[in-house]
Amino acid sequence: MSQPYETIILDTDDQGIATVTINRPKKLNALNTQVLEELSDVFTTIQNDESVLAVIVTGTGDKAFVAGADIKELRALDSPSGKEKSRKGQQVFQQLEDLRKPVVAAVNGYALGGGAELAMACHLRVAGTNAVFGLPEVGLGLIPGYGGTQRLRHIIGQARALELILTTKQIKAEKAYQWGLVNRIAEEDLEEAARSLIHKILENGPIAVRYAIEAVYQSGKEAGFEKEAELFGSLCETEDFVEGTSAFLEKRKPDFKGK
Ligand code: HXC
């Protein structure tokens, strides 16, 4: 699967891992309207393509994952169009988070503003040793507007989220790992590290993986318990559940069929 986007490269390997690469290297992959529109299209394609099992999101080059929303475009905004811009980006990033296939950000350099927010909308994050995270918005007289005020506090907690947002300080991979913003630091090849994390996930029951993502993202404790129990019950009627438990009892590796 490969499609003619101008600002995105979509590549799917023979193991069903789609790589979405933001491709505006001259502008450090900054997110302009076209990138967001193309991303939305790509996420819909991935959602509808059953052969895609997992997704990697990254940026072209070795300098930036994404250096934020395109500041040139932001300059022209007024109150209604600014709100609309924020809403649009929130929706596109939510499409990504709503994918029920594991999504891993491979952060290859600067992930600033909207770029950090894009990484946060991925289910998991692997950082290259050169990764730098930051929310520079208040320094531009703005606030994070692509979901960052909400997601960051869920991922690293309110105090650290406020510190990053209010001070605009940038943190490198090691600190991002200590703070729980990234799951792993790739000591060598970043893409390989992202793939290896995905392969580890794909060894497990596919329906169970999908439902686990859905349950973890269910907000509200009571609604979360309800969702967890409902999905747990559904899984008890899958062939994968019979296979997984039989394999354990028979001391062999399971062979999941996703049924
Ligand atoms: C537009 C950008 C850009 C951005 C970089 N460029 N970031 N253009 N929007 N966010 C462009 C530069 O203008 C320059 O273009 C080229 O990319 C290379 O960048 P340099 O600044 O020359 O590179 P360098 O000196 O190495 O600095 C790298 C950097 C810096 C530290 C990442 O580019 C930077 O601070 N960028 C802005 C980061 C930022 O503030 N992001 C948050 C945006 S607000 P030319 O044509 O001069 O070569 C946001 C809000 C989201 O994201 C929510 C919206 C609703």
Side-chain angles (χ1 to χ4, degrees):
M1 185 175 62
S2 183
Q3 288 169 39
Y5 298 105
E6 279 178 29
T7 65
I8 307 287
I9 302 166
L10 173 61
D11 247 327
T12 304
D13 70 9
D14 55 8
Q15 293 171 318
I17 302 178
T19 301
V20 176
T21 306
I22 320 290
N23 187 36
R24 280 186 86 207
K26 287 186 183 150
K27 298 291 175 189
L28 303 186
N29 305 321
L31 304 170
N32 63 8
T33 304
Q34 185 180 9
V35 177
L36 283 179
E37 279 171 2
E38 293 190 352
L39 275 180
S40 178
D41 204 68
V42 165
F43 297 154
T44 304
T45 302
I46 288 174
Q47 167 72 27
N48 295 334
D49 186 342
E50 281 184 16
S51 71
V52 175
L53 305 178
V55 184
I56 295 173
V57 177
T58 193
T60 290
D62 53 11
K63 189 163 173 187
F65 172 73
V66 166
D70 190 307
I71 297 172
K72 201 169 166 194
E73 275 190 2
L74 296 184
R75 278 291 276 127
L77 296 173
D78 60 9
S79 179
S81 60
K83 181 175 180 186
E84 198 185 313
K85 178 127 199 119
S86 167
R87 275 310 216 175
K88 175 69 190 162
Q90 289 172 355
Q91 282 159 12
V92 176
F93 288 12
Q94 192 59 38
Q95 265 185 284
L96 178 65
E97 188 182 279
D98 283 344
L99 290 176
R100 292 297 172 250
K101 338 190 176 206
V103 180
V104 175
V107 182
N108 55 312
Y110 287 111
L112 301 178
E117 295 176 290
L118 176 63
M120 289 177 222
C122 298
H123 303 143
L124 298 163
R125 284 155 292 282
V126 178
T129 45
N130 65 341
V132 177
F133 293 85
L135 282 309
E137 284 92 341
V138 298
L140 297 167
L142 292 170
I143 60 171
Y146 287 159
T149 61
Q150 304 309 302
R151 288 199 178 95
L152 189 58
R153 114 182 121 86
H154 279 295
I155 297 170
I156 64 171
Q158 185 162 302
R160 283 173 169 166
L162 273 173
E163 183 179 343
L164 282 187
I165 293 170
L166 298 183
T167 65
T168 76
K169 83 173 189 187
Q170 298 184 352
I171 56 171
K172 294 184 182 164
E174 190 59 42
K175 174 77 95 186
Y177 178 70
Q178 284 165 11
W179 281 15
L181 183 53
V182 302
N183 300 84
R184 289 185 184 184
I185 299 174
E187 292 305 337
E188 288 175 14
D189 190 73
L190 175 60
E191 191 188 323
E192 210 34 60
R195 274 175 199 282
S196 120
L197 180 57
I198 286 174
H199 285 306
K200 184 79 197 127
I201 296 169
L202 295 183
E203 284 172 14
N204 301 303
I207 310 174
V209 165
R210 200 158 73 227
Y211 285 7
I213 296 170
E214 192 172 337
V216 167
Y217 277 100
Q218 174 66 55
S219 60
K221 195 171 168 193
E222 267 315 310
F225 284 159
E226 180 57 35
K227 175 66 79 183
E228 183 183 88
E230 178 198 319
L231 295 174
F232 186 92
S234 303
L235 287 164
C236 291
E237 292 195 6
T238 61
E239 289 176 25
D240 283 353
F241 163 66
V242 175
E243 171 61 12
T245 46
S246 305
F248 175 78
L249 296 172
E250 292 161 17
K251 301 188 188 304
R252 61 176 173 81
K253 276 197 145 198
D255 179 17
F256 292 117
K257 304 275 189 240
K259 290 184 193 162

